[in-house]
Amino acid sequence: MSKPKLDLLATIQLKEITGVVGSRISKVQKVPLDADIRLFADGSCYPSKALVEEFQLEYANKGSDAPEYGFDIFETSKWSMWPENTDNFVMIAQVSKHAKKVDLFGKVTYDDQNQPRASVLNQGAGTFGKRLIGMLETTYGEELFKSGNSFVDLIIVRDSPISPAPNNIYNIPKLIVKGDKAGTYTYERRENLTIYPLIIGTELAAEAPMQDDAVGEIASLGTQSEPDSGMYADEQPLSLSDDEQKAEAALKEANDILGTEGQ
Amino acid sequence: MIEVGIQENIKLVKAEVKPDSKGNSLKDSLVIGLEVATGSSFSLNSLTSANETVNDGNDQEFYFWPFDNKDRDGATVPFKEVIKRIKDFQAQLNHILSGYMVKTAIEQKWDAVLFQNTGIVKDEDASIKLVQEVPLNTVYKNLANGFVELITPFISDANAPLFRVKLIRQSKLKHFSRIPRYAPFWEPMSIPKDQSKLVFTQWEIDNGFNDGTPSADAPSPDGSPDKSEQDSIDNVFGLNQAAAN
């Protein structure tokens, strides 16, 4: 998979979804080919196959010692380690699925043979995805689905990880979703993370109808129901909220501060 | 004095294994000192089991008392209880250390030193040796010395993080603060207050451990903690582990 670069962002035109051609209902390809995560309007999220391999996201059998990871995803605006007066981002970091409160691709159910009931490629993971939409819209100032598009693609900016904290300890903000404190934040302590910006990077080709071989490939991966594909609706172009220079400058500034001040 | 409550901007300024005043090396104790970063300096006393705080003028120290293999009646403490005391102590130290370093660094240290000089081989049945005074307190000293070795570089580091610390009342009689036995009681100040996990449990509130008001019968604050106090507070907390959690 080609690595997304920030300098691509200036040239990317986010896709507007136009109407259905004739009466044909196009089946949307859920697993992205040229992006990392495809986020649908209903909150369902699908990683690319390359992402699954790169970050070892696939679920192993219950009790297996095989490494398996998910993602922490959070807004720097809720992160106390992020320098003040710095542009905010949505950040993403690989964490063990066995850690507490993994945001994305962290949980699956198992059958009576202790095998996962779904592949991470077709699980959907809609619960967190609904929050992710809010995070992205708030942070980047874009309403993601205002034009009726069914999804946006997200890119992990691997070229711009933030500088590691001096002690490699990170306290990651976590939204409390249940109970008396629902809606407030707590944190989870993590170690040795590599934290990348997660940006909106839908490309024009991203919402192409699913190719037959891709349909078959995905269908063979699991049995869990997928979110509604939906028709193509009116398409309006989305634009990036931050240009390349602004994003790079903000990340550099944050890295400079994180690298010298620690916690 | 650092009062009972959830206190902020605390810095660890001292960690040492203090020789027993009577020269019994089996009773040497881990001591840590804390300081409020705004300028006031404190040391605090605590017990491993009781975390007793004793005011010693402007200096207070937290003592982590060595393990005792006998109960108040002189009977040998059951192996299960011995293990619990070791684990509780280790968990306290881990909780403090985890504010400074990754867990693998801590685990490596424990792997290297925990049973050093005890004659106990890792994974062997230690139920006979560990209930004996010498091996048991050697384990204590191994943990205490290991903690001091790990934490010392951060004590002199001007950029070491500051912490928010939950301190609870010593006992119904003594209003001085002490470190709780159970986590969480220690978190970096980089965590916003509204995300903090440090709270008094309902049990602590119901039993007045969040209240630093002096008792009418309060003892002199500069009295050294003694064994009877340790046992007394052991009972208060040792029998209420679930509630204290």
Side-chain angles (χ1 to χ4, degrees):
Chain A
M1 181 187 139
S2 61
K3 287 188 175 182
K5 296 187 188 310
L6 281 178
D7 57 9
L8 282 177
L9 301 178
T11 61
I12 290 174
Q13 286 212 327
L14 299 188
K15 183 179 162 76
E16 141 183 44
I17 302 172
T18 56
V20 175
V21 178
S23 60
R24 178 174 176 265
I25 299 175
S26 299
K27 186 174 177 68
V28 174
Q29 182 172 320
K30 293 188 170 63
V31 175
L33 297 175
D34 297 317
D36 291 316
I37 296 171
R38 181 155 292 177
L39 173 61
F40 285 82
D42 67 355
S44 53
C45 301
Y46 296 88
S48 71
K49 285 183 68 177
L51 188 77
V52 170
E53 291 172 10
E54 180 183 357
F55 286 91
Q56 297 179 280
L57 301 175
E58 190 55 275
Y59 297 104
N61 288 353
K62 194 173 185 178
S64 164
D65 292 331
E68 43 180 353
Y69 299 90
F71 287 125
D72 274 350
I73 300 180
F74 57 97
E75 303 147 283
T76 55
S77 61
K78 305 294 183 190
W79 192 28
S80 57
M81 298 176 79
W82 191 247
E84 291 179 5
N85 303 317
T86 308
D87 282 3
N88 283 303
F89 292 85
V90 173
M91 293 293 186
I92 186 166
Q94 178 196 41
V95 292
S96 168
K97 288 189 198 294
H98 303 296
K100 291 179 183 174
K101 296 181 181 172
V102 177
D103 292 315
L104 189 60
F105 310 135
K107 282 185 180 174
V108 73
T109 57
Y110 299 89
D111 63 20
D112 53 10
Q113 303 297 313
N114 289 328
Q115 294 179 329
R117 291 187 188 277
S119 163
V120 72
L121 281 164
N122 64 359
Q123 186 185 28
T127 305
F128 178 75
K130 289 173 185 168
R131 281 179 39 212
L132 179 57
I133 293 169
M135 275 190 204
L136 292 163
E137 290 185 337
T138 302
T139 302
Y140 298 128
E142 282 293 331
E143 193 177 332
L144 299 183
F145 303 103
K146 66 182 177 186
S147 57
N149 50 313
S150 60
F151 67 82
V152 292
D153 280 348
L154 307 177
I155 292 173
I156 297 172
V157 189
R158 294 166 180 76
D159 291 345
S160 299
I162 64 169
S163 299
N167 55 10
N168 277 317
I169 298 170
Y170 305 85
N171 294 298
I172 303 299
K174 296 287 177 182
L175 181 69
I176 299 173
V177 295
K178 292 179 181 175
D180 295 342
K181 293 186 176 179
T184 64
Y185 282 81
T186 181
Y187 66 93
E188 280 300 315
R189 182 184 179 280
R190 306 286 198 224
E191 296 180 351
N192 301 318
L193 298 182
T194 303
I195 300 176
Y196 303 99
L198 179 67
I199 61 172
I200 305 160
T202 301
E203 296 178 64
L204 282 171
E207 292 200 28
M210 181 180 276
Q211 297 166 1
D212 289 344
D213 56 345
V215 176
E217 193 171 56
I218 293 168
S220 69
L221 292 171
T223 56
Q224 186 151 316
S225 62
E226 297 174 327
D228 293 338
S229 302
M231 302 178 181
Y232 286 111
D234 292 340
E235 294 186 344
Q236 297 292 331
L238 294 175
S239 60
L240 294 172
S241 59
D242 294 315
D243 63 21
E244 173 197 10
Q245 289 182 347
K246 188 179 175 186
E248 281 189 338
L251 281 168
K252 184 176 183 307
E253 182 185 355
N255 275 332
D256 288 345
I257 297 171
L258 282 170
T260 55
E261 289 193 350
Q263 294 196 74
Chain B
M1 184 174 95
I2 301 179
E3 296 181 348
V4 169
I6 295 170
Q7 307 296 350
E8 302 201 325
N9 297 314
I10 300 290
K11 186 172 185 181
L12 183 65
V13 294
K14 175 182 179 181
E16 66 180 32
V17 178
K18 200 168 186 174
D20 175 55
S21 59
K22 296 175 183 172
N24 181 356
S25 64
L26 291 176
K27 297 300 179 187
D28 295 349
S29 302
L30 172 64
V31 183
I32 66 169
L34 303 183
E35 178 182 287
V36 178
T38 48
S40 301
S41 181
F42 300 90
S43 295
L44 304 170
N45 281 341
S46 85
L47 306 174
T48 296
S49 305
N51 293 329
E52 181 82 6
T53 305
V54 174
N55 191 340
D56 183 16
N58 287 328
D59 259 358
Q60 297 183 4
E61 295 175 331
F62 270 96
Y63 280 76
F64 292 76
W65 291 101
F67 307 129
D68 198 336
N69 71 326
K70 304 286 186 189
D71 64 19
R72 275 183 294 182
D73 299 326
T76 299
V77 174
F79 177 65
K80 190 176 175 183
E81 176 60 21
V82 165
I83 292 296
K84 179 180 177 305
R85 290 182 185 186
I86 294 172
K87 285 186 172 178
D88 284 351
F89 179 45
Q90 196 172 6
Q92 277 185 307
L93 302 184
N94 287 348
H95 188 50
I96 295 171
L97 290 168
S98 67
Y100 299 89
M101 64 195 73
V102 296
K103 289 180 179 174
T104 49
I106 305 168
E107 289 164 357
Q108 283 171 4
K109 172 61 78 176
W110 299 152
D111 283 347
V113 305
L114 185 61
F115 293 125
Q116 213 169 44
N117 304 320
T118 62
I120 296 169
V121 180
K122 192 178 178 185
D123 297 330
E124 82 166 65
D125 180 0
S127 60
I128 296 175
K129 288 179 183 168
L130 264 187
V131 295
Q132 298 171 18
E133 185 179 22
V134 173
L136 179 60
N137 281 295
T138 302
V139 168
Y140 168 86
K141 286 184 74 172
N142 290 342
L143 288 168
N145 284 318
F147 175 84
V148 171
E149 287 170 22
L150 286 172
I151 207 72
T152 295
F154 298 95
I155 291 175
S156 57
D157 182 357
N159 294 319
L162 301 177
F163 291 89
R164 183 179 292 120
V165 182
K166 172 181 154 183
L167 298 171
I168 66 174
R169 186 186 179 100
Q170 284 182 24
S171 66
K172 287 184 180 177
L173 192 60
K174 291 187 174 182
H175 66 284
F176 307 110
S177 58
R178 66 184 180 85
I179 293 176
R181 183 187 292 180
Y182 300 107
F185 56 80
W186 182 273
E187 69 185 12
M189 282 302 297
S190 62
I191 293 162
K193 199 165 188 175
D194 61 4
Q195 293 182 18
S196 173
K197 292 182 179 177
L198 303 191
V199 292
F200 287 101
T201 65
Q202 192 58 50
W203 181 86
E204 288 166 343
I205 294 168
D206 291 345
N207 289 277
F209 286 95
N210 63 331
D211 185 354
T213 307
S215 157
D217 300 323
S220 166
D222 58 357
S224 297
D226 59 28
K227 181 64 177 59
S228 62
E229 288 170 332
Q230 180 180 353
D231 284 344
S232 168
I233 301 171
D234 267 346
N235 280 344
V236 172
F237 291 96
L239 298 177
N240 290 282
Q241 181 186 357
N245 278 325

